[in-house]
């Protein structure tokens, strides 16, 4: 078990936890970007280089940008101040629920005898991945592409301002 | 340049493309539309010349290119292109005359607000006619035939804001449609009898020996051969399009369209289609000649109708006062000549006359258009007059056209082609009556053409418009000069000494000796007609518009009947029109009394049943449903309390539920 | 207690998952809730990769493919989710999730 893995895991979980606790939304978003980069580092460690690349591209690059935009677009008016992290009424049940789930998961994992492969894994190159994607999984690829297109179109429709006649708060 | 049969589609396709450009071009794109229409027609002309060169290499061959249009399950419906001297010659004529008319139109219609549409329709007209020429299938021919009808409807009614133009367009469309019904029935019958509509198909086509023999061997009602019956039905269509008696009434009214349209209809496209059709399917009509005992020969009917039409048109033309109407009835008469020639078995002379007539009639109509344009839209010959001096080019070219129409000997094309027809009629073995009718029509034709020229160009101006007339621009006079040259010289391709055209179309054609006595007779007759016209109209020109016509003075009743076009329109209004009105009234009464009552009864029944059902529903059935739906509603309300709208709590429930299930599973495994 | 690398990977993903869950449960801001959900999705992906890496057949690449598709779908989900947040903001002029309850029973 390498030190690298432990470091990656710790940083990832820690940045995520801090991000979830911060008052400032912009900082939260940036820290989450760091956390996603940590996940990418984990993929790299695990030998899935292409996935690491995709993770950086999609999460660190695209989603955190979109999140930042959303944060800026939906910034609350000044008198409201920063968003309170959590009212005590919600924090306690959240901790209880999260803790119990964590407990169950850890208990299950530790209690399971998991067999691992004896020999070190072969390299899974991008070339093989491409062959898989274009060969047996081509249909799935097309479906995912269609899903993405539809989702993005839908997102545009949802986010676009409605017609003037719609019942809506004036800006 | 050679144009083989499989490229023949280009000839109609180019004007069609121009029509498409015209249809989608903006309203202001006048130059583009007219330019593309003229350019397309010019290229089609060159292609037609190429096709002619190709066809003349071996005139006896019918080069075809057939292809399947769509599969019918058993067999396929096939269309095709056909290249033979008939198609090629007609193609050259149509594209050349059409081109000149298009150029003339650019000047004549220059001030019209709908200039663009006009050229779009003209191109469509040309494309439809050319498609009809190159078709090797009666079905394709019929499609183009109907397109010709549609385009003529659009063009005759081009000034549709005038009620008379709209009515004339409607009349032309409906009258030709009556004939087209016959053509359609004939077409279906032909397909049923032979299983093919291709003209030439390597021995299988309907105009080839095998199927023709089979068709003439069967008989149908009244002992008619099937080929005779189908031929007569097809002739119905041709009679409608070519303005043959009794369907000639639309042709004079078609004058309501702009004058270039009249020229196109009367010379190159519409009326030529009927004659062309009969010439094309001539073997079908002639198939029954091998049966001497047949009760009726199709060609005899054609000859009779043609003779009647030739005489009738010439007679009525004498009594008309509108310059375009006189020309229209002369067209009716000349088309009668062509049908007469077809009927007496000499289809090549019919095509000869069709070609020469196309040029001199286009010339006459465009000349008339030039006169009308110059005289500020005055069409009544009584108010024209004295236009010889101001309209020098128009007068000279119009006179050439008029002499070609009258059949002035030797130098003018109409003489040669008409002479060939009279010769053929003289040699007909069945009857000499068509020949006699043709001779009388020769006199009348010479007479009314003299009258027309004398009234329009001689004497003094008798109206406001004629007094201020000025020569038309070059874009209009140049086509006139070109047409005049053709009208004069075209006759020399078919003289009895050198019958090139006849030999090309029909290699078996032979000139019979002894035609010169006949020629002398017709020269005398033409001279008689011209002399009579000169004596009555030109010697003492009319002095005022209100003065009575010389013929009217001598025989007022006859002239009134002629001016009334022998009452055909009234006759049709009194018979067909009234029958139609009666049928409509009867149908109306049937509708109102019988069907309406039935419908009302049914509606009453429906209402009654509905009432009964409603009472049952409200009083008997509703209670149970109301109770059930009330229960559902309160149940739904109870469940909806759990739907708090608080997303956090949903997520929380999921987490708790997951924990519980996982715990249960884990504990279950441990145990 | 003898833990294999696979165990450690799974524990790591469990921790990340619960961080995401607690964040999503406790925060009132819709964007943060959404980000918590994204974290949970990432934890799932880590699981898949762990089982692929230490599982019996790493040469087949099924895990990688699966995660690839999951990332694509997560991208779509994020786009739609954030669009929804913007729509909610336009409608009620804030993005507090607990106030977006107009469809409650």
């Amino acid at each position: 078990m390498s030190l690298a893995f432990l470091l990656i895991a710790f940083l990832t979980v820690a940045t995520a936890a801090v991000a979830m606790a911060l008052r400032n939304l912009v900082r939260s978003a940036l820290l989450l970007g760091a956390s996603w980069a940590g996940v990418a580092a984990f993929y790299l460690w695990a030998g899935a280089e292409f996935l690491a690349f995709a993770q950086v591209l999609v999460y660190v690059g695209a989603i955190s940008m979109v999140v930042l935009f959303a944060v800026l677009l939906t910034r609350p008016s000044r008198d409201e101040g920063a968003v309170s992290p959590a009212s005590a009424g919600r924090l306690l049940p959240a901790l209880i629920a999260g803790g119990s789930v964590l407990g169950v998961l850890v208990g299950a994992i530790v209690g399971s005898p998991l067999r691992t492969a004896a020999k070190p894994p072969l390299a899974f190159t991008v070339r093989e991945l491409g062959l898989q994607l274009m060969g047996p999984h081509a249909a799935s690829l097309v479906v995912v592409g269609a899903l993405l297109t539809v989702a993005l179109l839908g997102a545009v429709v949802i986010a676009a301002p409605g017609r003037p006649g719609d019942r809506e708060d004036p800006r | 340049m050679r144009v083989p049969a499989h490229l023949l589609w280009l000839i109609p396709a180019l004007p069609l493309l121009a029509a498409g450009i015209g249809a989608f071009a903006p309203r202001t794109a006048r130059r583009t539309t007219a330019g593309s229409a003229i350019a397309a027609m010019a290229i089609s002309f060159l292609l037609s010349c190429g096709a002619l060169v190709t066809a003349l290499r071996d005139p006896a061959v019918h080069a075809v290119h057939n292809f399947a249009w769509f599969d019918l399950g058993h067999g396929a419906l096939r269309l095709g292109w056909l290249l033979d001297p008939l198609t090629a010659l007609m193609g050259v004529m149509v594209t050349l005359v059409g081109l000149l008319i298009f150029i003339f139109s650019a000047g004549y219609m220059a001030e019209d607000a709908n200039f663009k549409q006009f050229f779009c329709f003209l191109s469509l007209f040309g494309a439809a006619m050319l498609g009809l020429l190159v078709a090797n299938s009666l079905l394709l021919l019929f499609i183009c035939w109907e397109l010709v009808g549609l385009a003529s409807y659009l063009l005759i009614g081009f000034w549709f804001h005038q009620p008379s133009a709209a009515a004339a367009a409607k009349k032309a469309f409906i009258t030709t449609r009556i004939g087209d019904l016959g053509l359609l029935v004939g077409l279906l019958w032909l397909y049923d009898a032979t299983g093919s509509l291709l003209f030439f198909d390597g021995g299988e086509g309907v105009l080839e020996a095998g199927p023709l023999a089979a068709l003439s061997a069967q008989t149908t009602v009244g002992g008619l051969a099937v080929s005779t019956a189908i031929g007569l039905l097809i002739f119905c269509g041709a009679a409608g399009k070519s303005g043959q008696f009794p369907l000639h009434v639309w042709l004079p009214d078609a004058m309501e369209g702009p004058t270039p349209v009249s020229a196109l209809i009367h010379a190159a496209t519409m009326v030529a289609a009927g004659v062309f059709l009969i010439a094309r399917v001539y073997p079908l009509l002639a198939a029954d000649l091998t049966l001497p005992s047949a009760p009726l020969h199709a060609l005899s009917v054609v000859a009779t109708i043609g003779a009647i039409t030739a005489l009738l048109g010439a007679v009525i033309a004498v009594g008309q006062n509108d310059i375009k109407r006189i020309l229209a009835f002369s067209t009716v008469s000349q088309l009668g000549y062509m049908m007469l020639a077809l009927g007496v078995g000499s289809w090549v002379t019919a095509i000869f006359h069709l070609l020469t007539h196309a040029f001199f009639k286009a010339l006459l109509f465009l000349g008339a258009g030039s006169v009308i344009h110059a005289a500020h839209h005055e069409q009544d010959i009584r108010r024209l007059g004295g236009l010889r001096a101001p309209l020098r080019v128009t007068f000279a070219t119009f006179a050439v056209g008029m002499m070609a129409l009258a059949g002035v000997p030797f130098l003018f094309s109409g003489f040669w082609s008409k002479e060939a027809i009279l010769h053929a009629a003289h040699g007909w073995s069945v009857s000499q009556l068509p020949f006699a009718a043709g001779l009388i029509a020769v006199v009348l034709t010479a007479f009314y053409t003299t009258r027309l020229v004398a009234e329009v160009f001689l004497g003094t101006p008798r109206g406001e418009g004629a007094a201020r007339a000025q020569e038309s621009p070059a874009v209009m006079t140049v086509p006139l000069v070109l047409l005049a040259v053709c009208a004069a010289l075209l006759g020399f391709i078919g003289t009895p000494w050198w019958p090139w055209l006849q030999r090309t179309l029909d290699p078996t054609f032979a000139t019979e000796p002894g035609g010169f006595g006949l020629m002398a007779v017709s020269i005398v007759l033409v001279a008689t007609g011209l002399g009579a016209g000169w004596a009555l109209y030109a010697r003492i020109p009319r002095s005022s518009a209100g003065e009575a016509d010389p013929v009217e003075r001598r025989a007022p009743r006859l002239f009134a009947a002629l001016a009334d076009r022998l009452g055909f329109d009234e006759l049709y209004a009194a018979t067909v029109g009234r029958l139609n009105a009666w049928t409509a009234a009867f149908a109306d009464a049937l509708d109102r009394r019988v069907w309406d009552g039935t419908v009302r009864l049914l509606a009453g029944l429906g209402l009654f049943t509905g009432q009964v059902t409603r009472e049952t529903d409200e009083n008997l059935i509703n209670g149970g449903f109301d109770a059930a739906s009330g229960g559902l509603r309160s149940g739904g309300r109870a469940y909806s309390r759990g739907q708090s709208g608080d997303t956090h709590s949903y997520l929380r429930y999921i987490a708790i539920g997951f924990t519980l299930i996982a715990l249960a599973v884990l504990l279950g495994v441990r145990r | 207690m003898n833990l294999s690398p696979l165990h450690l990977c799974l524990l790591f993903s469990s921790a990340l998952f619960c961080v995401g869950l607690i964040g999503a449960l406790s925060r009132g801001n819709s964007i943060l809730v959404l980000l918590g959900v994204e974290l949970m999705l990432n934890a799932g992906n880590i699981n898949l990769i762990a089982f692929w890496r230490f599982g019996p057949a790493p040469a087949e690449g099924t895990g990688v493919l699966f995660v690839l598709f999951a990332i694509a779908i997560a991208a779509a989900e994020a786009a739609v989710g954030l669009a929804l947040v913007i729509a909610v903001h336009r409608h009620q002029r804030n993005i507090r999730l607990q106030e977006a309850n107009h469809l409650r029973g």
Side-chain angles (χ1 to χ4, degrees):
Chain A
M1 195 69 253
S2 68
L3 193 66
F5 169 75
L6 290 177
L7 198 64
I8 291 168
F10 172 75
L11 283 179
T12 307
V13 176
T15 46
V18 176
M20 283 294 148
L22 277 179
R23 292 175 69 91
N24 189 314
L25 269 180
V26 180
R27 282 183 199 160
S28 288
L30 289 174
L31 273 175
L32 271 172
S35 171
W36 286 327
V39 176
F42 167 77
Y43 291 153
L44 211 54
W45 174 82
E49 291 91 354
F50 186 77
L51 271 191
F53 181 64
Q55 172 86 5
V56 170
L57 211 63
V58 174
Y59 276 98
V60 185
I63 293 185
S64 49
M65 283 307 116
V66 177
V67 168
L68 279 176
F69 269 113
V71 167
L72 295 177
L73 281 175
T74 60
R75 193 180 279 251
S77 47
R78 198 154 294 184
D79 55 329
E80 248 180 303
V83 184
S84 64
S87 57
R90 259 202 320 276
L91 182 60
L92 197 60
L95 283 176
I96 293 170
S100 57
V101 168
L102 184 64
V104 167
L105 284 177
V106 169
I109 291 165
V110 171
S112 313
L114 291 169
R115 274 195 309 277
T116 52
K119 44 184 178 179
L122 302 166
F124 184 72
T125 61
V126 177
R127 176 185 151 73
E128 281 168 65
L129 178 68
L131 285 176
Q132 293 262 322
L133 276 179
M134 285 300 138
H137 298 281
S140 325
L141 191 66
V142 171
V143 170
V144 168
L147 179 88
L148 264 177
T149 313
V150 172
L152 292 183
L153 283 178
V156 169
V157 171
I158 292 169
R163 288 183 303 279
D166 285 358
R167 195 169 58 83
E168 205 176 76
D169 289 345
R171 283 226 158 236
Chain B
M1 184 177 66
R2 299 208 190 288
V3 177
H6 63 86
L7 288 180
L8 221 50
W9 60 273
L10 278 170
I11 296 176
L14 287 168
L16 192 64
L17 182 69
I21 292 174
F24 290 106
R27 201 182 163 78
T28 51
R30 300 157 71 94
R31 203 174 272 271
T32 315
T33 317
S36 59
I38 291 171
M41 213 51 172
I43 299 173
S44 286
F45 172 62
L46 293 178
L47 287 172
S48 303
C49 290
L52 183 62
V53 170
T54 315
L56 288 184
R57 283 163 71 204
D58 195 353
V61 165
H62 301 283
V64 296
H65 173 72
N66 296 329
F67 54 90
W69 185 21
F70 58 82
D71 275 322
L72 289 176
H74 52 92
L77 199 54
R78 296 168 73 208
L79 304 179
W81 320 119
L82 167 61
L83 180 59
D84 61 0
L86 176 61
T87 293
L89 276 168
M90 288 289 294
V92 171
M93 182 277 281
V94 169
T95 47
L96 179 57
V97 175
L99 178 63
L100 295 175
I101 292 172
F102 280 24
I103 295 172
F104 182 91
S105 307
Y108 188 85
M109 300 296 286
E111 283 133 41
D112 199 285
N114 294 325
F115 185 84
K116 188 211 86 171
Q117 279 92 325
F118 187 72
F119 268 90
C120 172
F121 295 161
L122 275 188
S123 290
L124 180 64
F125 207 177
M129 185 64 198
L130 289 168
L132 192 150
L133 295 181
V134 302
N136 183 33
S137 150
L138 196 56
L139 180 64
L140 185 57
L141 191 146
F142 184 73
I143 294 169
C144 296
W145 180 271
E146 293 299 328
L147 277 177
V148 168
L150 168 71
S152 71
Y153 171 79
L154 293 171
L155 284 169
I156 294 170
F158 187 71
W159 287 324
F160 55 83
H161 45 84
Q162 297 171 1
S164 60
K170 206 165 63 185
K171 186 169 174 181
F173 199 66
I174 293 174
T175 313
T176 54
R177 193 68 48 253
I178 294 170
D180 291 353
L181 185 64
L183 176 55
L184 181 60
V185 173
L187 186 149
L188 294 173
W189 194 347
L190 189 62
Y191 188 72
D192 185 48
T194 66
S196 170
L197 287 172
L198 292 175
F199 293 140
F200 297 99
D201 187 18
E204 303 281 305
V206 294
L207 296 186
E208 290 172 292
L212 280 185
L215 279 178
S216 54
Q218 306 164 30
T219 54
T220 174
V221 281
L224 277 180
V226 171
S227 72
T228 313
I230 295 175
L232 288 177
L233 285 167
I234 291 177
F235 177 65
C236 286
K241 270 285 191 284
S242 284
Q244 297 297 298
F245 169 83
L247 297 178
H248 66 277
V249 289
W250 68 268
L251 194 48
D253 283 20
M255 296 299 98
E256 292 292 343
T259 306
V261 174
S262 311
L264 206 52
I265 288 179
H266 285 256
T269 53
M270 181 101 169
V271 297
V275 178
F276 170 78
L277 173 63
I278 298 301
R280 174 58 82 207
V281 300
Y282 181 79
L284 180 66
L285 274 84
D288 57 10
L289 293 180
T290 55
L291 316 165
S293 60
L296 181 68
H297 288 130
L299 286 177
S300 304
V301 176
V302 176
T304 313
I305 296 285
I308 294 173
T309 312
L311 193 55
L312 192 77
V315 168
I316 297 178
V318 171
Q320 298 298 313
N321 285 323
D322 185 312
I323 178 170
K324 286 171 73 179
R325 252 176 228 283
I326 296 174
L327 292 175
F329 276 107
S330 88
T331 305
V332 171
S333 168
Q334 300 302 311
L335 288 166
Y337 272 114
M338 296 173 208
M339 285 297 176
L340 172 59
L342 288 165
V344 299
S346 179
W347 66 273
V348 289
T349 55
I351 294 299
F352 183 27
H353 195 55
L354 177 61
L355 294 175
T356 59
H357 174 261
F359 283 98
F360 68 70
K361 189 49 66 70
L363 168 62
L364 284 171
F365 265 110
L366 295 188
S370 177
V371 166
I372 294 166
H373 190 75
H376 304 90
H377 293 275
E378 180 56 73
Q379 302 192 11
D380 191 330
I381 58 171
R382 287 169 300 190
R383 285 200 287 276
L384 289 165
L387 293 176
R388 187 178 43 158
L391 307 182
R392 284 185 186 285
V393 181
T394 306
F395 171 66
T397 53
F398 198 87
V400 170
M402 163 261 174
M403 284 189 269
L405 172 59
V408 171
F410 305 126
L411 191 57
F412 300 101
S413 59
F415 173 73
W416 299 111
S417 53
K418 204 180 289 182
E419 196 56 40
I421 290 177
L422 289 174
H423 194 99
H426 184 61
W428 199 34
S429 56
V430 179
S431 162
Q432 287 295 304
L433 284 177
F435 175 61
L439 288 182
I440 299 170
V442 167
V443 183
L444 290 168
T445 308
F447 178 74
Y448 70 69
T449 49
T450 315
R451 170 175 180 254
L452 176 60
V453 172
E455 292 271 52
V456 172
F457 289 101
L458 303 183
T460 52
R462 295 179 293 271
E464 187 80 345
R468 290 186 285 126
Q470 278 184 337
E471 183 61 288
S472 304
V475 68
M476 292 163 73
T477 51
V478 170
L480 287 179
V481 173
L482 288 174
L483 282 170
V485 171
C486 293
L489 299 182
L490 200 65
F492 294 111
I493 61 171
T495 59
W497 294 281
W498 187 58
W500 175 83
L501 182 78
Q502 286 92 327
R503 291 261 165 78
T504 304
L505 287 171
D506 181 7
T508 62
F509 182 83
T511 37
E512 292 160 39
F516 299 107
L518 191 59
M519 198 180 281
V521 170
S522 74
I523 291 173
V524 170
L525 291 175
V526 169
T528 312
L530 289 174
W534 179 267
L536 283 178
Y537 292 99
R539 207 163 41 88
I540 315 161
R542 175 195 286 278
S543 56
S544 74
E547 194 178 311
D549 195 274
V551 177
E552 192 177 5
R553 252 175 299 167
R554 286 169 177 75
R557 282 226 180 134
L558 175 67
F559 190 82
L562 293 181
D564 205 23
R565 294 174 250 163
L566 294 179
F568 272 102
D569 286 323
E570 287 74 12
L571 178 70
Y572 288 164
T575 54
V576 182
R578 192 169 295 172
L579 184 68
N580 190 14
W582 279 345
T583 321
F586 174 71
D588 181 55
L590 196 69
D591 242 18
R592 282 180 198 278
R593 307 272 147 70
V594 181
W595 298 128
D596 193 50
T598 317
V599 171
R600 274 173 198 278
L601 189 68
L602 287 175
L605 267 175
L607 273 178
F608 174 73
T609 326
Q611 193 73 27
V612 170
T613 323
R614 197 185 97 183
E615 294 296 327
T616 328
D617 250 14
E618 281 183 352
N619 300 330
L620 298 176
I621 301 175
N622 267 7
F625 280 107
D626 279 349
S629 54
L632 278 179
R633 197 180 298 138
S634 57
R637 201 173 286 136
Y639 280 123
S640 79
R641 290 218 181 88
Q643 198 77 12
S644 65
D646 182 9
T647 321
H648 287 118
S649 64
Y650 299 162
L651 201 53
R652 215 151 42 220
Y653 292 141
I654 293 172
I656 292 166
F658 165 77
T659 315
L660 292 179
I661 292 170
L663 274 178
V665 172
L666 287 176
L667 294 178
V669 170
R670 293 272 156 79
R671 195 186 307 150
Chain C
M1 202 161 69
N2 185 17
L3 291 179
S4 68
L6 180 53
H7 278 108
L8 286 176
C9 285
L10 294 182
L11 287 176
F12 164 43
S13 90
S14 310
L16 199 60
F17 184 88
C18 288
V19 168
L21 178 62
I22 293 169
L25 280 178
S26 62
R27 301 301 296 255
N29 187 307
S30 302
I31 293 178
L32 276 175
V33 174
L34 204 63
L35 291 180
V37 174
E38 290 289 340
L39 275 182
M40 293 194 266
L41 210 63
N42 264 293
N45 285 347
I46 289 172
N47 262 9
L48 287 169
I49 286 299
F51 278 111
W52 164 73
R53 171 72 170 72
F54 300 105
E60 278 181 17
T62 327
V64 175
L65 284 167
F66 215 112
V67 174
L68 203 58
F69 290 139
I71 288 178
I73 289 169
E77 178 238 310
V80 175
L82 289 170
L84 279 171
V85 168
I86 289 174
V88 166
H89 181 264
R90 206 172 40 240
H91 192 70
Q92 66 185 30
R93 309 205 56 192
N94 63 49
I95 50 172
R96 283 192 289 272
L97 193 56
Q98 63 272 25
E99 288 180 23
N101 57 1
H102 297 288
L103 288 178
R104 68 177 178 275

